[in-house]
Structures are given as C-alpha cells and as structure tokens.
C-alpha cells in the first residue's frame, strides 16, 4: 500500500504487529525474569597489589579506588571481598628489591608468598590466585630473563616453574601464568606434579595481547619495561586464529582454565575461545578499561554505575565464566 493511501484508512482496520517483543519489557520484574545473561559477585575475581612495609595504603593515581597495599591492608581488602560474595582474589607482588633474574618472585619469603599465607590464614575459603610472571620482580621490567635486549624463552621457564611451586606451597589455590613464554604451562604443570601438588589447577593467560590498555597496571605494579616493549612475546591485537592456537597449546600442556586479556576490545576473541573450548574461561577487564570508566564517571560524562554493570554484562555475555575486574567490590555491592 502506498504511504499516502494509509492516511485515508481508519486505524481500526489497519493490520497490527503480530510480534511484540516490547511485551516482555513492560516492568523491571518482567525484564529480570527473562534476562538471558546475569551477573553475580561469584563471577568476579578481585586483583590486589601487595607491597612491603607496614600500614601502606597508597592510592594509584590512574586507578581511582585501587591501592598498593601492605600485608595487613591486603588481608583486610580480601576479607571485604569475601564478605561481599566475591570468591577469589588474584595477587600481584611489588618487592623492595629487584634484579635481573626476578629472584624475589620465587623466593619462599617473597612478598606475594607471604601475602598468600596471611590471606589464607585469615580467609581459608577465599580462593587465592597467584599471578606468575617476573615483570614485577625484574629490574628491567620484562617478563623473563633478558639477554642482549631479548627475552630468552627457555631460560625463563625454570624460574616461572619455581615461582609457581613456591606460591602453591605458600597456599595459593590457583596458579595463573601471565608471562606468555612458550611452553610455560607444561613446565609449571611438571614442576607442581613433581612436588606432589597435583591438585593445584592452572588458569592460563592463554590469550594475552600486547595492549595499550595496560598502562595504569604498570604504574600500580611498577613493571614498565626500561627498554623496548613486550610485542615480541605478547600477541598482536589483529590476530584471532593465533588466539585459538595459543589456547589449544595450553590445553594440551595441562591448563585447567583459560583466560583472554584484555576484555573490551577482544569480545570477539572471548566468544571464539568460548565456542572452541569447554574449559572454564576467564576474561581480564584490565586497568585501562577500568580507568576510562572512572575518568568518564568522575567528569559526569556517563552514569558510572550503569555503564560499569553494562560493561561487565557484555564481557559475560561474550562467553566469560569469570571476570577479573577492579570493579569487583563496587559491582558486588550493587548486585
């Protein structure tokens, strides 16, 4: 029918829509009933940055609301997370002394090993994840042993394995290697099994991109490389087939869970990994993503709480079972 002709036909005789999706959007209760993707505090993992000293609660300028914490404050923050229904924390240690081999990363009395012991003593049921990487512990800021300006893959593997073992012996529930060295999952699995820690699972940062979104983290962890960058071992942002290859290799080496990092610019990668593999999948809602929302919220450009929950919902909808996020406590309070 021509558009001009419709003006002369009574509304009562015109055809009505057969399908009315709006019927299920009429009220908050109805919308909640039919919601396909639901957030829950049990989906979240909360990152903590642990430093030496006493009574340290140092704000991280680029990450409002996040702090460098001495042990007693890290324990208090972990307790708060648990009380809000967040079941897990992931720990990053910042030592007073750094060297070329990152020895404080795998020292039995290192800062992260002590933090694991104290948090587990205070909250035995809280799942403590140990991030395993050398970047916070090396004086050059790279994730492995550096020779002639290059990170040496195979020389790094024993150090990562040693760090995994000392963290697991300290009480870590999950080991999460984030270094992106080839073969590190297999090396860590072998080392854990050799000391009869066969039940400690590995959450592999299987798909970790060389991203500009990590800037605020490097301030928090004091881990910016002094020379070069990490593009020689972290993934190129344009690649998704390679992501599936990396994930498949980690599964073959014994990973129990997989991770994609970052999250927001890589929702398609989360979906691709989810569709290919049946293992539990985590996504890291990284520091730059957090900082952007915080800055926009503080400037009044967005409704911060609404956009925060929308962002986390999008990450879960893409296929993530677990979300590592600095928003964890705020989101848990709202949920």
């Amino acid at each position: 029918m021509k558009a001009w002709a419709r003006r002369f036909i009574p509304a009562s005789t015109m055809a009505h829509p057969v399908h009315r999706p709006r019927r299920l959007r009429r009220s908050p209760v109805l919308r909640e009933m039919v919601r396909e993707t639901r957030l829950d505090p049990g989906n979240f993992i909360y990152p903590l940055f642990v430093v030496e000293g006493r009574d340290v609660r140092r704000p991280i300028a680029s990450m409002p609301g996040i702090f460098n914490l001495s042990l007693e404050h890290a324990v208090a923050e972990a307790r708060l997370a648990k009380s809000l229904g967040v079941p897990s924390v992931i720990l990053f240690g910042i030592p007073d002394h750094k060297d070329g081999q990152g020895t404080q990363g795998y020292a039995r009395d290192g800062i992260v090993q002590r933090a694991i012991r104290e948090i587990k003593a205070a909250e035995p049921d809280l799942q403590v994840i140990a991030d395993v990487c050398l970047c916070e512990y090396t004086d050059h800021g790279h994730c492995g042993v550096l020779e002639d300006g290059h990170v040496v893959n195979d020389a790094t593997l024993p150090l990562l394995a040693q760090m995994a073992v000392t963290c697991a012996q300290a009480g870590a529930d999950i080991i999460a290697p984030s270094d992106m060295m080839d073969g590190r999952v297999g090396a860590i699995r072998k080392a854990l099994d050799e000391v009869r820690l066969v039940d400690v699972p590995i959450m592999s940062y299987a798909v970790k991109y060389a991203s500009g979104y990590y800037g605020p983290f490097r301030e928090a962890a004091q881990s910016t490389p002094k020379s070069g960058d990490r593009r020689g071992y972290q993934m190129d942002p344009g690649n998704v087939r390679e992501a599936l290859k990396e994930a498949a290799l980690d599964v073959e080496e014994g990973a129990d869970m997989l991770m994609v990092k970052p999250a927001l610019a890589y929702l398609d990668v989360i979906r691709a990994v989810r569709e290919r593999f049946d293992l539990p999948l985590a996504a890291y809602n990284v520091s730059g993503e957090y900082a952007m929302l915080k800055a926009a919220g503080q400037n009044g450009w967005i409704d911060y709480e609404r956009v925060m929950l929308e962002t986390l919902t999008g990450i879960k909808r893409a296929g993530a079972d677990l979300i590592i996020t600095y928003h964890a406590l705020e989101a848990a309070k709202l949920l």
Side-chain angles (χ1 to χ4, degrees), residues 84-279:
L84 293 170
V86 176
S88 181
V89 295
I90 185 167
L91 301 184
F92 301 92
I94 301 99
D96 279 346
H97 171 71
K98 303 188 179 194
D99 57 37
Q101 300 288 308
T103 55
Q104 284 299 301
Y106 42 90
R108 294 187 183 279
D109 62 348
I111 181 62
V112 79
Q113 287 81 0
R114 283 182 281 135
I116 292 167
R117 290 188 192 100
E118 295 208 17
I119 291 173
K120 289 301 292 184
E123 290 290 348
D125 293 333
L126 187 71
Q127 295 294 289
V128 175
I129 303 173
D131 177 87
V132 170
C133 189
L134 299 181
C135 63
E136 299 113 279
Y137 306 95
T138 55
D139 54 11
H140 48 72
H142 280 283
C143 300
V145 177
L146 202 62
E147 291 182 7
D148 300 323
H150 298 282
V151 174
V152 184
N153 191 95
D154 293 3
T156 300
L157 297 182
L159 306 185
L160 297 170
Q162 193 173 346
M163 182 176 179
V165 167
T166 59
C167 287
Q169 289 175 333
D173 299 287
I174 300 169
I175 298 299
S178 62
D179 54 281
M180 288 302 285
M181 299 298 113
D182 295 337
R184 91 275 201 203
V185 171
I188 288 171
R189 183 72 272 159
K190 182 174 183 290
L192 291 171
D193 291 352
E194 285 176 348
V195 294
R196 299 184 180 180
L197 292 169
V198 297
D199 292 327
V200 176
I202 296 173
M203 174 191 284
S204 171
Y205 286 70
V207 182
K208 182 177 179 180
Y209 288 90
S211 172
Y213 283 98
Y214 302 150
F217 175 93
R218 291 175 182 169
E219 176 194 348
Q222 301 169 28
S223 62
T224 302
K226 288 188 176 178
S227 62
D229 56 38
R230 296 179 177 141
R231 297 180 193 184
Y233 44 101
Q234 294 178 359
M235 287 179 53
D236 188 288
N239 294 356
V240 66
R241 293 193 302 272
E242 184 186 18
L244 298 176
K245 178 181 179 180
E246 286 278 9
L249 289 171
D250 285 2
V251 171
E252 183 180 326
E253 291 178 24
D256 301 283
M257 294 180 270
L258 300 173
M259 188 194 305
V260 174
K261 178 183 180 182
L264 280 185
Y266 300 89
L267 296 176
D268 62 319
V269 180
I270 295 171
R271 170 53 57 186
V273 174
R274 170 74 291 150
E275 290 179 348
R276 179 71 63 90
F277 302 98
D278 292 329
L279 295 183

Side-chain angles (χ1 to χ4, degrees), residues 32 36 42 57 59 75-76 144 174 176-177 183 224 241 252 255 313 321 331:
E32 171 70 20
E36 299 173 30
R57 187 176 172 85
V75 170
I174 300 169
T224 302
R241 293 193 302 272
E252 183 180 326
T313 299
D321 302 297

